[in-house]
Amino acid sequence: MTVPSAGDLVDAVQAHVDTVLEHARDDYGDESTPLLVDALDATTLSGVEYDGRDVADGHLSNFALQQSFLRALLALSEVTGEKRYRSRAETLVSWMFENASDDTGLLYWGGHAAYDLDADDIVVGKSDHELKFEYPFYKFCYEVAPEATREFVSAFWNAHVLDWTTLDFNRHGAWNASMGDLWDHEYEGGNVFFWGDGLTFVNTGSDLYYAAGVLADLAEEDEPLTWAKRLARRYIETRQEPGISGYQFSQHASYCKGPEIRGDRAQYQFAPYIHGDHRIFEGTLFRPRPIVQRQQLALAERLGERGSAFAQWAMEELRAWREAAYHPDENEFVPMLTDGLSLEGFVIRREGYFGPKGRVIGPIEAGPDFLWTYARAYRVTGDDLCYATTRDIAAGLGLGDIGTPEERPTMDFDMDPVAVGPELLSALLELYRASGDDRYLNAASRIGGRLLDNRESGLFTDTDGMAVLDNPTPLALLRLASARKGDPLDTLPKPVGKRRSPNGGI
């Protein structure tokens, strides 16, 4: 395999982006907008009726799904010097804020809303506003429309937080909710695992505190950061002896098995069959999502000393995962309660949210997303245990032995990765930035070459042959190109990655 040059990488991404801008443009319905359809068929180069967030059928433009493409546009302008890509991105952001928000500034995007290009109108699916593991490109949005960005973050919190004294919130937020006191509310805190009115899942919770944390940096304000830390800390308060945080910090009377049984869904499916003194709620199941800790570390880097708590919490979490749950020989995490009780092999005996009757709980594969997060943690903090975990996961993923920081292999480590993707590439770039060792850059370049080989009609596609705009590959390759040229990576947008659940587990 030929290792691509920096120029090869940039040319490939530029061809992809130009093709998307040409063929994903809005030529549906009766009115034309600057919007782009969310996915293209790589064979026909036509728009696909693709619904990535449970909204509706049709040719949709869901701006929450296009944040990776937005970042790639900015990066391409940085790398090539061509302003047209940034200009296109500015147009998209401006149009969304001006035409696709409610009266409070809350955008119609994300989990249950999008713009229907066929109908030339906003379409709202089965529920209200929702962001889950999206982490939009607020820095650029603020550069284009600072007041609209501030209004969005304020409306996001206002719509989702149900009780500011405890920070009970729901993953769904009402449109056009009357604006309350926002950052001027009183906060009391109190015990976690209280019965609340919302589902305090970390997939939305981390999006909320990430938004407030970034706004605090961009606007140089303290109040949003205070609330961001309060919300992030609620998950820390769920930790039991091993130090693992819960996926949520409250309980909610959800449907356990149809409308006739309501309560905590984990308690319904697990508690009757587990003996001993264990707290069994949805918030005490070990459900690791490494994107959360990765974004906490990103906040810490952005905020500096003001954000040091985010780095501390991320490091505590990652170390606890390693010490309490990780098996390096199998490159797997043990599914468990957050008090350390293993649930591996547990047979679900009741139908419900966590699986059908008869499902056997299996181990959690330590995939490339975990590698990326541990590698970033090592780069940001220099933590030895995070490096040791990075080394073990790298070996488990077929990257060979990357050695220790003091004694790396004298030759390039052998590579036969079981999975090739932007997460693996991003992890290697983190290690390169941490060490300056060209072997990591060479390995990342080989991964980049594999990604170039997987294109169809010049487009980066998914396994279904679609070019979706939330594909993080183009941005990852532009960062690789910058590293190959010796340019600082901090000048380019920071990648987030696609939201996904780990294989196995609960």
Side-chain angles (χ1 to χ4, degrees):
M1 182 197 69
T2 302
V3 176
S5 66
D8 294 334
L9 295 165
V10 173
D11 289 347
V13 173
Q14 191 163 18
H16 168 89
V17 168
D18 286 345
T19 302
V20 169
L21 292 176
E22 171 65 21
H23 294 280
R25 68 183 186 276
D26 179 13
D27 56 4
Y28 308 91
D30 296 326
E31 300 179 12
S32 179
T33 71
L35 300 180
L36 302 169
V37 70
D38 287 334
L40 291 176
D41 183 305
T43 302
T44 64
L45 298 183
S46 58
V48 176
E49 293 189 358
Y50 172 75
D51 179 13
R53 295 294 186 272
D54 196 22
V55 179
D57 296 329
H59 293 94
L60 303 181
S61 183
N62 190 332
F63 200 47
L65 274 73
Q66 300 182 13
Q67 297 299 293
S68 288
F69 188 73
L70 190 68
R71 290 178 169 93
L73 287 174
L74 265 292
L76 196 54
S77 270
E78 287 285 337
V79 170
T80 65
E82 294 193 33
K83 297 180 180 179
R84 62 188 176 101
Y85 298 111
R86 181 184 177 93
S87 177
R88 191 73 172 85
E90 290 173 346
T91 299
L92 287 170
V93 170
S94 296
W95 194 95
M96 284 296 300
F97 278 131
E98 292 170 6
N99 299 279
S101 64
D102 72 3
D103 294 340
T104 68
L106 198 62
L107 288 172
Y108 288 99
W109 63 352
H112 302 293
Y115 194 84
D116 186 334
L117 299 176
D118 298 309
D120 298 313
D121 201 3
I122 299 295
V123 57
V124 176
K126 64 182 181 181
S127 194
D128 298 321
H129 179 270
E130 179 183 83
L131 288 183
K132 296 193 300 189
F133 292 151
E134 302 291 2
Y135 314 111
F137 194 8
Y138 294 117
K139 179 179 182 295
F140 179 65
C141 291
Y142 193 84
E143 291 175 4
V144 175
E147 188 54 37
T149 304
R150 182 198 301 270
E151 287 180 356
F152 169 79
V153 174
S154 300
F156 184 19
W157 274 71
N158 181 73
H160 286 259
V161 177
L162 305 175
D163 183 349
W164 288 77
T165 64
T166 63
L167 280 175
D168 184 20
F169 72 87
N170 199 11
R171 70 197 190 285
H172 294 146
W175 307 107
N176 297 303
S178 298
M179 292 298 295
D181 294 335
L182 203 64
W183 316 124
D184 291 330
H185 279 95
E186 294 293 325
Y187 177 67
E188 297 176 3
N191 294 331
V192 291
F193 304 131
F194 58 86
W195 285 95
D197 294 324
L199 284 166
T200 55
F201 293 152
V202 76
N203 50 15
T204 292
S206 59
D207 247 312
L208 280 165
Y209 66 68
Y210 178 83
V214 174
L215 178 63
D217 178 56
L218 295 171
E220 298 182 350
E221 297 177 355
D222 292 329
E223 291 83 0
L225 182 57
T226 296
W227 285 97
K229 289 179 179 178
R230 286 170 176 168
L231 181 53
R233 185 167 180 79
R234 293 257 74 184
Y235 297 97
I236 309 307
E237 292 166 358
T238 67
R239 290 175 177 171
Q240 300 185 73
E241 180 59 35
I244 295 174
S245 303
Y247 195 79
Q248 64 192 76
F249 57 81
S250 65
Q251 294 188 77
H252 179 75
S254 305
Y255 291 126
C256 296
K257 182 188 175 185
E260 74 275 13
I261 300 177
R262 291 173 63 84
D264 186 290
R265 296 175 294 198
Q267 199 169 55
Y268 172 75
Q269 284 189 282
F270 292 92
Y273 311 104
I274 296 175
H275 302 294
D277 186 18
H278 301 282
R279 306 177 79 181
I280 304 173
F281 315 126
E282 286 199 52
T284 62
L285 297 178
F286 176 43
R287 301 174 67 194
R289 300 295 186 269
I291 193 174
V292 174
Q293 284 66 44
R294 196 162 62 243
Q295 291 307 103
Q296 287 179 331
L297 291 163
L299 270 179
E301 286 192 283
R302 169 185 290 278
L303 291 161
E305 184 60 33
R306 296 172 74 202
S308 60
F310 292 107
Q312 176 186 335
W313 293 331
M315 292 304 304
E316 291 170 350
E317 191 76 27
L318 295 174
R319 290 177 68 91
W321 292 1
R322 165 68 192 225
E323 292 171 341
Y326 184 59
H327 283 179
D329 290 344
E330 292 81 22
N331 193 38
E332 295 171 343
F333 294 93
V334 177
M336 60 175 57
L337 297 178
T338 56
D339 65 5
L341 178 71
S342 173
L343 295 179
E344 188 167 3
F346 181 91
V347 180
I348 292 179
R349 296 168 176 82
R350 288 176 167 178
E351 298 284 338
Y353 178 75
F354 292 101
K357 183 177 180 180
R359 181 196 167 204
V360 179
I361 303 298
I364 302 163
E365 177 189 343
D369 211 30
F370 285 93
L371 180 69
W372 183 7
T373 299
Y374 275 99
R376 174 173 290 179
Y378 170 69
R379 177 181 64 79
V380 173
T381 70
D383 184 80
D384 291 339
L385 190 59
C386 281
Y387 186 87
T389 310
T390 302
R391 182 182 184 184
D392 288 333
I393 296 176
L397 293 175
L399 291 180
D401 184 7
I402 64 174
T404 68
E406 298 79 17
E407 297 181 7
R408 294 191 179 92
T410 55
M411 299 176 65
D412 286 352
F413 47 87
D414 295 328
M415 281 203 358
D416 186 19
V418 296
V420 173
E423 295 87 358
L424 199 61
L425 171 56
S426 296
L428 290 165
L429 287 179
E430 295 282 2
L431 292 172
Y432 171 65
R433 292 181 67 190
S435 66
D437 191 322
D438 284 341
R439 282 168 293 193
Y440 293 121
L441 184 58
N442 294 337
S445 299
R446 281 180 274 168
I447 297 296
R450 294 272 292 273
L451 292 172
L452 294 191
D453 291 341
N454 291 338
R455 286 176 296 165
E456 185 173 346
S457 302
L459 291 168
F460 297 100
T461 60
D462 61 15
T463 54
D464 296 320
M466 288 193 300
V468 294
L469 270 66
D470 68 339
N471 189 337
T473 299
L475 178 58
L477 291 174
L478 288 176
R479 291 177 67 82
L480 173 60
S482 287
R484 291 291 302 273
K485 293 192 296 182
D487 294 337
L489 292 179
D490 288 334
T491 63
L492 298 185
K494 191 180 292 291
V496 171
K498 295 176 70 173
R499 66 178 196 171
R500 56 166 56 85
S501 298
N503 294 329
I506 302 164

